[in-house]
Amino acid sequence: MRTKRSIRSNLFTKRLAVLSMSALMVAALAACGAKTEAPTAEEAGKYEVTPGDPFSAYKDEINVTMGRVTTANPKLPAGDTYENNAYTRLVKDTFNAKITDQFEANGEDYSRQVSLAIASGELPDMMRVDSKDELKELVDNDLIEDLTTIYDQYATDEIKKIYDSYDGRALDNATIDGRLMGLPATSLDSAPTMVWVRQDWVDLLGIKLDADGDGAITLEEVEKTTQEFLKRDPGQSGNPVGIPFVNTLNTTDYNGSAYTMLGAASTQQAFPQYWMRGDDGKILYGSTTEETKKLLGIMADWFKEGIIDPQFGTRTFDDITALYANGQSGIAFGPWHIPDWGLISVKQMDKNAKFSAYALQDADGKVNIAHANPSNQFIVVRKGYEHPELAVKILNLFYDKLANDKDVATTMPEAAKYQETGVDGSTRPFNIEVNSATSLLDDYSDVVRGIKGEISLDEVRTTESKNNIGSIKTYLSDMDTDNTTAWSKYHSRINGVGLIDKLTKEDKFVWMTPAFSGTTPSMKQTWANLTKLEQESFIKIVTCSEPLDYFDTFVSNWKKQGGEQIIQEIEAEIGAKP
Amino acid sequence: MKQRLYKTNGRIRSGTMYHMMMIPGILFLLVFSYVPMVGVITAFQDYIPAKGMFGSEFVGLKHFVYMFKLPDIAQVVSNTLVIALGKILIGTIMAIIFSVLLNEIRMKTIKKSVQTIVYLPHFLSWVVLASVVVNMFSLDGIVNQILTFFGLQHINFLGSNTWFQPLIIGTDVWKEFGYSSIVYLAAITSIDPGLYEAAGMDGASWWRKVWHITLPGMLPIILLMGVMSLTNILSAGFDQIYNLYNPVVYESGDILDTYVYRIGLVGRQYSFGTAVGLFKSVIGIVLLLSANQLAKKYTDRKIF
């Protein structure tokens, strides 16, 4: 069963098919899987060379299997793979630990792999889980290691400092019943979903966008620009399409998800999928508010006019990226880092491609944004894995040593090369980010000052920023450069983070604080259905197969099918808290 | 039975060898069909993988009650039935027509090559074929290009609840009709050529011969195949639909298998998934038994 799979491979789907053909069989499998016990935790320490040393290597080579979150365009050099690349070799050299991938997938496919791993009890030794829900479930099922003492013993001071910069929020979120059950990714709290517009097309067609130059535009401007793009086909694809959205439409992750309609939602002060407090103090589900209805009305109008991709709903994430790369669409909703891993494929296809980033403003000229959920990604270690401390060691290696070592070029030349050439961070063993709370804007200030020569490269805090300064300088000296890394770093840092920095300084953001972000008991039974109901209803409304008033039906169905009870449970939980 | 199926050459007792050959099959059935049946009890529990089947708490019919309260379930069952029945009916008719026509081809090389070409898709998996289908039927795919060439409207086949079921049925028939025509061809070849000659003497046209000789000759095998395929009526093709559907067409495309998969496995509600799966099995048995009875009543043939 421990075969390596890649997404959409024949084997993968067959396995899914076999597994799901009979739920009975799955249940039996899961039961069998749970019975196989690996060595106990007491035995774990004895392989260790120096207990407590954050970087010591193992005497005999050890193995670690992983579930890996991949990216469509990782930019790995020829011959390197997710399983065998500079970073995994670095782990091998540093710790004498060999990484094998139990599965590799991205997006929804990854969540499926995780679900299947949990159901069959065949967890990889380490993997990323993408919600507190899953983390809780793993703990309830006693499938993962308690990392409390290991974290205390092995994590470097720098790593501890990074986590502490969140006032305990980061670690708290991974702590269940007082025990640290996973290593949380940190989620920065300063990034709205932006609109990325093909600047070269705007120039070509002579469109006036963002006339006041404040970096924030209105929905009407997006609409008009899209119409121009559709009418005049500046990409000369012969088949221009409107703005493509993913069929999930919503997420609570402003910082991580691309191609969602969150940016548009914020202009209506709609916060779909967030738990908010209404004007009367009662708990509200963001997807059921009047504001969300208004948003869907706008989306439906857009769909009618072709502003939204007519094949909305049927496209996969990769299909959408391809639309941009083919020059069929030039307006993308996404976070500040989308040029690094998504839009970069546009530059690869079209040398002249340039993007500008804009935030979306509401009628009052303000940019609305919700505070991010505290970290929603966790690295967990399979219960019974002999070397749970390896997880913390890998964390040390990548998020402390590699990030902060001033001499990476000599100490870790291969990894340094990767960073310079912009190989995607997802190729690291853990596809998470661990940065201090203020790092986004701190790094930006480093980069800007570095480019201007106000500080020397030695004063720049992280290796990544150092590389970014080099890349951005390359781009600034030659905007037509073939160096796609230089292109993407300029776009993500100067255009993307630059905009956030500017809007933050100008106090343009209006923050909404979610009232609740956990899960309640009855969600376990009803949430999968409620989410399905929401997704289907929203798609129907947007694609005009149901009128806008169908939203009210959705809301009443949502309440009847368990939503009402969840709200009561949340009220009780919040009420119970001091 | 007069005909001897095997030789008794003294050392092997009659039939033993043949019975031995059943062992792998029986083992396979036991391991993959009977042992997992124990898992049915999880449908009546709040199943937690770590606690296992015998440690999880019993909750009675809770999951079944929840299932019947869900507005989706009727939709899912009816989708499953429509898609499965469509596939069986149209698939069988196509296979019969094809085998009758193919039987008329006298040139062996042409006959063989036609056969090979229509068998081919059967051997490709839906993972591969799905991308072919998506390419052909997407908004800018070849089918829509043809439609617009004739001045017709674009049709979003993969994102339309009206078109998704016909698309699923149509592509499945296309993939399988060649292969399933094999048994019908075999049935035709076993029909006594004397009957055709006699009919020819009486002046029967080709059509008459097909209607009065070929089809009645094929009837037993048609019935057998029909009843057999009813056992699968609630398995309307996970592979195919999983690879072709998307949230826009959940409404018309969700079948029990995909629903169980999405809610049960991806949503990690194992007990609920099992309950739906069990429900599916019960309907399957009911349908099979009644089809068998009907076959007995009207044609005096049954399979058990």
Side-chain angles (χ1 to χ4, degrees):
Chain A
M1 295 282 266
R2 299 215 162 187
T3 44
K4 181 182 153 183
R5 291 162 245 138
S6 59
I7 38 162
R8 286 183 188 276
S9 76
N10 195 348
L11 191 64
F12 167 71
T13 317
K14 269 195 184 146
R15 236 180 79 101
L16 291 187
V18 169
L19 267 168
S20 52
M21 272 310 154
S22 156
L24 310 181
M25 190 166 152
V26 168
L29 269 179
C32 296
K35 272 178 223 139
T36 49
E37 278 289 329
T40 57
E42 286 94 277
E43 292 172 52
K46 75 183 180 194
Y47 301 94
E48 187 56 9
V49 182
T50 337
D53 183 335
F55 292 108
S56 71
Y58 296 89
K59 219 181 298 170
D60 303 312
E61 183 184 278
I62 62 163
N63 278 300
V64 53
T65 58
M66 287 197 180
R68 299 281 288 274
V69 188
T70 60
T71 300
N73 190 3
K75 286 190 70 189
L76 280 166
D80 279 1
T81 61
Y82 265 91
E83 199 169 46
N84 181 11
N85 61 46
Y87 293 135
T88 58
R89 289 193 287 271
L90 181 64
V91 171
K92 172 77 179 72
D93 293 344
T94 318
F95 301 127
N96 201 17
K98 190 171 173 294
I99 295 175
T100 324
D101 288 347
Q102 189 166 321
F103 52 80
E104 295 174 357
N106 73 15
E108 282 177 39
D109 290 318
Y110 182 79
S111 342
R112 270 178 223 140
Q113 289 285 10
V114 172
S115 290
L116 290 177
I118 298 174
S120 66
E122 290 207 17
L123 295 193
D125 296 331
M126 293 172 195
M127 66 175 178
R128 186 180 105 184
V129 295
D130 290 349
S131 68
K132 177 110 190 197
D133 222 12
E134 283 177 334
L135 184 72
K136 251 187 178 161
E137 173 136 359
L138 286 164
V139 173
D140 287 346
N141 280 301
D142 198 25
L143 287 168
I144 51 173
E145 284 283 343
D146 175 358
L147 302 174
T148 320
T149 33
I150 288 168
Y151 172 77
D152 281 343
Q153 281 175 353
Y154 286 91
T156 61
D157 294 339
E158 180 63 27
I159 292 285
K160 287 179 180 162
K161 218 165 83 191
I162 292 176
Y163 279 134
D164 290 344
S165 72
Y166 290 85
D167 303 324
R169 266 193 311 140
L171 288 181
D172 264 2
N173 209 34
T175 305
I176 293 175
D177 296 336
R179 295 169 301 151
L180 182 71
M181 298 311 293
L183 302 169
T186 57
S187 82
L188 300 163
D189 203 15
S190 46
T193 293
M194 303 174 175
V195 185
W196 293 85
V197 183
R198 274 294 284 264
Q199 188 58 42
D200 52 325
W201 292 3
V202 171
D203 295 342
L204 184 76
L205 302 181
I207 299 168
K208 271 227 164 72
L209 190 58
D210 190 26
D212 54 0
D214 65 351
I217 56 176
T218 60
L219 278 185
E220 289 75 51
E221 285 179 273
V222 175
E223 199 177 309
K224 276 194 196 119
T225 311
T226 315
Q227 274 164 344
E228 286 296 305
F229 284 2
L230 283 172
K231 212 169 14 181
R232 296 158 72 182
D233 190 16
Q236 290 175 345
S237 64
N239 187 14
V241 296
I243 308 168
F245 287 112
V246 282
N247 53 37
T248 36
L249 277 174
N250 302 316
T251 164
T252 49
D253 188 3
Y254 273 95
N255 193 21
S257 306
Y259 315 146
T260 65
M261 62 171 188
L262 277 181
S266 65
T267 61
Q268 307 307 309
Q269 278 147 19
F271 297 96
Q273 293 200 338
Y274 278 87
W275 295 103
M276 318 190 293
R277 218 177 265 288
D279 296 332
D280 54 356
K282 290 235 170 73
I283 290 292
L284 270 182
Y285 182 56
S287 300
T288 61
T289 58
E290 277 305 306
E291 287 84 1
T292 301
K293 182 176 177 180
K294 219 167 123 199
L295 166 76
L296 288 174
I298 295 171
M299 294 286 115
D301 289 342
W302 276 18
F303 185 82
K304 256 179 263 169
E305 292 164 37
I307 308 281
I308 292 180
D309 167 23
Q311 288 189 69
F312 163 71
T314 63
R315 297 218 203 247
T316 65
F317 198 87
D318 292 344
D319 291 346
I320 294 175
T321 309
L323 287 179
Y324 295 117
N326 295 340
Q328 287 175 268
S329 188
I331 294 189
F333 280 60
W336 63 267
H337 45 81
I338 190 176
D340 291 349
W341 48 268
L343 301 181
I344 193 167
S345 36
V346 180
K347 169 71 177 174
Q348 280 164 352
M349 298 288 283
D350 183 353
K351 204 172 164 309
N352 302 316
K354 286 186 182 68
F355 280 90
S356 295
Y358 298 100
L360 279 166
Q361 62 184 11
D362 64 10
D364 304 327
K366 289 285 184 185
V367 178
N368 300 300
I369 175 172
H371 280 296
N373 270 350
S375 167
N376 255 332
Q377 298 167 341
F378 310 91
I379 298 293
V380 297
V381 179
R382 173 176 66 85
K383 184 99 180 177
Y385 179 59
E386 295 92 330
H387 313 283
E389 70 284 346
L390 180 62
V392 182
K393 286 171 146 190
I394 292 177
L395 197 74
N396 292 336
L397 179 62
F398 285 92
Y399 303 94
D400 176 6
K401 202 168 181 183
L402 188 62
N404 298 314
D405 193 335
K406 301 278 183 217
D407 296 316
V408 198
T410 45
T411 53
M412 297 170 255
E414 228 198 340
K417 189 87 199 293
Y418 262 37
Q419 296 196 320
E420 268 167 45
T421 52
V423 176
D424 195 80
S426 66
T427 58
R428 292 170 302 186
F430 299 155
N431 187 357
I432 56 169
E433 297 296 338
V434 180
N435 300 307
S436 69
T438 55
S439 62
L440 186 67
L441 297 182
D442 289 352
D443 288 350
Y444 174 73
S445 126
D446 269 14
V447 169
V448 171
R449 288 188 295 159
I451 293 167
K452 288 184 187 155
E454 287 169 16
I455 52 172
S456 74
L457 279 187
D458 288 338
E459 290 170 81
V460 176
R461 290 170 312 122
T462 67
T463 320
E464 201 190 350
S465 296
K466 223 178 347 185
N467 287 323
N468 289 339
I469 292 172
S471 292
I472 293 166
K473 275 183 168 167
T474 310
Y475 182 79
L476 288 174
S477 65
D478 173 17
M479 296 233 178
D480 294 324
T481 178
D482 286 329
N483 184 340
T484 51
T485 306
W487 182 92
S488 79
K489 296 301 172 192
Y490 175 83
H491 278 84
S492 61
R493 266 59 181 192
I494 304 300
N495 283 358
V497 186
L499 176 67
I500 297 170
D501 189 62
K502 176 176 175 295
L503 296 177
T504 308
K505 284 185 181 138
E506 289 169 4
D507 207 17
K508 270 263 190 186
F509 292 133
V510 180
W511 292 91
M512 192 281 289
T513 310
F516 180 79
S517 65
T519 55
T520 70
S522 73
M523 272 180 165
K524 194 172 159 45
Q525 170 111 63
T526 53
W527 198 245
N529 269 302
L530 289 177
T531 314
K532 175 176 179 278
L533 176 73
E534 176 180 330
Q535 194 188 4
E536 275 187 62
S537 307
F538 281 19
I539 287 177
K540 278 183 196 162
I541 294 170
V542 173
T543 57
C544 305
S545 69
E546 295 282 354
L548 183 57
D549 283 335
Y550 182 75
F551 184 82
D552 304 329
T553 319
F554 154 71
V555 174
S556 82
N557 281 339
W558 185 88
K559 283 184 179 155
K560 261 186 275 171
Q561 290 177 36
E564 195 69 58
Q565 196 188 343
I566 292 172
I567 287 178
Q568 282 168 15
E569 285 170 358
I570 294 175
E571 297 269 15
E573 198 165 313
I574 294 179
K577 273 186 192 156
Chain B
M1 198 186 285
K2 265 186 263 167
Q3 191 189 6
R4 288 207 356 208
L5 287 170
Y6 45 81
K7 277 186 195 162
T8 45
N9 59 3
R11 287 205 295 139
I12 304 168
R13 254 185 45 203
S14 55
T16 314
M17 229 9 199
Y18 292 95
H19 287 128
M20 297 263 283
M21 286 166 75
M22 286 168 64
I23 291 176
I26 290 172
L27 276 179
F28 187 88
L29 268 182
L30 274 178
V31 172
F32 291 107
S33 298
Y34 284 89
V35 173
M37 268 193 207
V38 182
V40 165
I41 56 173
T42 57
F44 305 95
Q45 297 176 325
D46 264 340
Y47 177 70
I48 295 174
K51 290 187 184 162
M53 253 180 272
F54 303 102
S56 300
E57 187 197 343
F58 274 89
V59 292
L61 292 174
K62 175 176 145 191
H63 298 294
F64 292 91
V65 173
Y66 179 64
M67 173 170 78
F68 288 114
K69 272 204 301 203
L70 279 180
D72 290 348
I73 201 77
Q75 182 84 57
V76 171
V77 171
S78 90
N79 286 344
T80 314
L81 288 176
V82 169
I83 291 174
L85 275 175
K87 282 178 177 177
I88 292 172
L89 280 179
I90 301 176
T92 310
I93 293 170
M94 280 294 286
I96 294 170
I97 295 176
F98 176 70
S99 53
V100 170
L101 292 179
L102 193 68
N103 192 49
E104 291 301 315
I105 298 179
R106 295 288 165 233
M107 277 178 70
K108 230 180 174 166
T109 43
I110 295 183
K111 193 171 170 178
K112 285 287 164 208
S113 39
V114 169
Q115 254 179 311
T116 315
I117 291 168
V118 294
Y119 289 178
L120 202 66
H122 169 80
F123 297 100
L124 295 174
S125 89
W126 271 116
V127 181
V128 179
L129 287 180
S131 50
V132 176
V133 172
V134 168
N135 254 316
M136 285 176 63
F137 288 90
S138 67
L139 267 190
D140 33 25
I142 185 151
V143 176
N144 269 313
Q145 282 175 17
I146 295 172
L147 285 181
T148 40
F149 181 78
F150 289 107
L152 295 164
Q153 280 286 314
H154 276 285
I155 297 172
N156 191 1
F157 290 99
L158 294 158
S160 150
N161 282 311
T162 328
W163 284 100
F164 192 70
Q165 286 181 354
L167 180 77
I168 287 289
I169 295 170
T171 51
D172 183 76
V173 168
W174 164 73
K175 182 177 187 287
E176 300 296 342
F177 82 92
Y179 192 74
S180 46
S181 68
I182 294 179
V183 278
Y184 300 117
L185 270 176
I188 293 174
T189 44
S190 70
I191 296 172
D192 182 0
L195 293 173
Y196 290 102
E197 283 166 27
M201 292 290 196
D202 292 343
S205 63
W206 175 81
W207 176 242
R208 283 281 159 200
K209 284 182 201 168
V210 170
W211 190 249
H212 291 292
I213 302 169
T214 317
L215 287 180
M218 292 163 76
L219 193 62
I221 203 85
I222 294 174
L223 274 175
L224 177 75
M225 299 302 285
V227 174
M228 295 252 285
S229 53
L230 279 178
T231 46
N232 279 331
I233 190 143
L234 289 191
S235 308
F238 175 85
D239 262 14
Q240 183 193 12
I241 292 176
Y242 176 76
N243 281 296
L244 284 174
Y245 80 166
N246 54 67
V248 184
V249 290
Y250 280 169
E251 187 186 332
S252 63
D254 231 354
I255 55 170
L256 279 165
D257 286 323
T258 51
Y259 189 74
V260 167
Y261 165 72
R262 237 187 20 258
I263 304 294
L265 263 176
V266 179
R268 296 191 307 283
Q269 295 183 28
Y270 312 117
S271 292
F272 177 67
T274 314
V276 179
L278 188 62
F279 171 64
K280 175 186 147 178
S281 308
V282 171
I283 296 186
I285 288 181
V286 171
L287 282 173
L288 175 66
L289 291 179
S290 32
N292 198 42
Q293 284 305 313
L294 286 176
K296 192 193 169 195
K297 191 173 170 193
Y298 290 110
T299 64
D300 209 23
R301 289 172 196 279
K302 57 173 184 169
I303 54 170
F304 58 85

